[in-house]
Amino acid sequence: MSDLVARLRRHQWRMTPQRRVIAEMLDGAHVHYTADEILERACEHMPEISRATVYNTLNEMVALGEVAELNFDGRSKRYDPNVDHDHHHLICDGCGTTRDVHTTADPLDGLPGDERHGFTVTEASITFRGRCPDCVDAG
Amino acid sequence: MSDLVARLRRHQWRMTPQRRVIAEMLDGAHVHYTADEILERACEHMPEISRATVYNTLNEMVALGEVAELNFDGRSKRYDPNVDHDHHHLICDGCGTTRDVHTTADPLDGLPGDERHGFTVTEASITFRGRCPDCVDAG
DNA sequence: TCTTTCATTAGACAGAGTCTAAGATAGGAT
DNA sequence: ATCCTATCTTAGACTCTGTCTAATGAAAGA
């Protein structure tokens, strides 16, 4: 039983086989998949699942606050079930792989008052970029 | 004469009326526009300019390193002519307004070696989010 | 001015995501 | 266990951003 499934149940969210497959896939992953990757993998367990269901389900998980939506390449969104801890992201410029990382300092502390331009600033997230071990080796 | 136009000339970049309109619009802006916003505004000065030209021109400016491409909402890219100073971005969750900000510390320093997972990390950018003065007042 | 090379154009195309309307089903009520 | 109804799923059309193509047009050096 996945922890994400348990968290979703607490919202009185109707559990269907399709939703369960998607939730368990997200929860077990240490990388963050795109909607299409999730569709592709879900099809291995449930060949008739539709694209609309995958998108609907992911959007509802985001609306419930149990999954975060990430966007780094301007193309496809990725989904991150780790909403509890505050963390940042490390992205490979070669293959797009995305993983969670933790920093030693809160980036909000680095933004002085006179750089806030009257905004009420509530959040800061860091995007680190580079090349993963596989892409470094591949040149 | 816009500073961006001057910088682009130095690359032996053929200057056309279309490119000049786009460059001057970018350079004078206090906020960062999407390609469609740039197309719309360019049409006011040059009604026959095509969408392909706007996209080609923006992509070339990015390739020349004189304009940076930003993506925050996962929908449309925005273009930032301030590539000289290294800076970060502050975005209003209400209206999407995007502006440049400067931090006191380099965020790369906050990522310990054991959080790099074998990656060669070359870059770090911070996205600050909140509400701009107008959107705070509007509730 | 002539020529070559590069830029512009309209419109077709592509990828990611949303919407719609019809049929199917989870889970409470009986 | 069965029924009922709200809601979920589905296929496919649609939208929105952005890219590509092939023909026409224009910048800039000789």
Side-chain angles (χ1 to χ4, degrees):
Chain A
M1 164 63 77
S2 112
D3 177 57
L4 179 57
V5 169
R7 282 189 281 143
L8 291 165
R9 277 195 169 292
R10 275 179 224 129
H11 290 276
Q12 283 96 38
W13 198 52
R14 185 181 284 188
M15 190 51 62
T16 66
Q18 290 87 345
R19 289 176 173 187
R20 183 182 302 275
V21 165
I22 293 169
E24 289 180 347
M25 181 171 315
L26 271 181
D27 206 41
H30 52 300
V31 296
H32 305 319
Y33 297 118
T34 64
D36 258 12
E37 287 167 351
I38 291 168
L39 172 59
E40 195 179 332
R41 285 158 168 269
C43 278
E44 291 168 11
H45 296 86
M46 183 177 280
E48 74 287 4
I49 193 170
S50 82
R51 208 157 53 101
T53 296
V54 172
Y55 279 101
N56 287 343
T57 299
L58 291 169
N59 285 339
E60 280 158 29
M61 289 174 176
V62 171
L64 290 173
E66 295 296 350
V67 167
E69 197 174 74
L70 310 176
N71 185 268
F72 298 118
D73 62 0
R75 269 171 287 161
S76 39
K77 295 174 184 169
R78 290 172 183 269
Y79 294 88
D80 178 353
N82 303 315
V83 290
D84 291 341
H85 325 295
D86 93 312
H87 61 267
H88 303 280
H89 293 98
L90 172 56
I91 300 152
C92 175
D93 287 330
C95 63
T97 292
T98 302
R99 50 181 318 156
D100 294 346
V101 294
H102 298 265
T103 54
T104 53
D106 183 349
L108 259 183
D109 296 340
L111 190 67
D114 61 0
E115 280 288 329
R116 300 195 180 197
H117 303 283
F119 280 55
T120 304
V121 185
T122 52
E123 203 190 306
S125 65
I126 310 180
T127 304
F128 295 97
R129 295 184 166 274
R131 296 184 82 83
C132 73
D134 290 349
C135 287
V136 168
D137 292 346
Chain B
M1 164 65 75
S2 114
D3 178 57
L4 180 57
V5 169
R7 280 189 282 142
L8 291 166
R9 276 195 172 292
R10 276 180 224 127
H11 290 277
Q12 282 96 39
W13 198 50
R14 185 181 287 188
M15 189 52 61
T16 67
Q18 290 88 345
R19 289 177 172 186
R20 183 182 303 273
V21 165
I22 294 169
E24 289 179 348
M25 180 170 317
L26 271 181
D27 207 39
H30 303 64
V31 296
H32 304 320
Y33 298 118
T34 64
D36 259 12
E37 286 166 352
I38 290 168
L39 172 59
E40 195 179 333
R41 286 156 167 270
C43 279
E44 292 168 11
H45 296 85
M46 184 178 277
E48 74 287 3
I49 194 171
S50 83
R51 207 157 55 101
T53 296
V54 171
Y55 279 100
N56 287 344
T57 300
L58 291 169
N59 285 339
E60 279 158 28
M61 289 174 177
V62 171
L64 291 174
E66 295 295 350
V67 167
E69 197 173 72
L70 310 176
N71 186 268
F72 297 118
D73 62 359
R75 269 171 288 159
S76 39
K77 295 173 184 169
R78 289 172 184 268
Y79 294 88
D80 178 352
N82 304 313
V83 291
D84 290 343
H85 325 295
D86 95 310
H87 61 266
H88 304 281
H89 293 98
L90 172 55
I91 300 154
C92 175
D93 287 330
C95 62
T97 292
T98 302
R99 49 180 319 156
D100 295 345
V101 294
H102 299 265
T103 54
T104 53
D106 182 349
L108 258 183
D109 296 340
L111 190 68
D114 61 359
E115 281 288 328
R116 301 196 179 195
H117 303 284
F119 280 54
T120 303
V121 184
T122 51
E123 201 190 308
S125 66
I126 311 181
T127 304
F128 295 97
R129 295 184 166 274
R131 297 184 82 82
C132 72
D134 290 349
C135 288
V136 168
D137 292 347

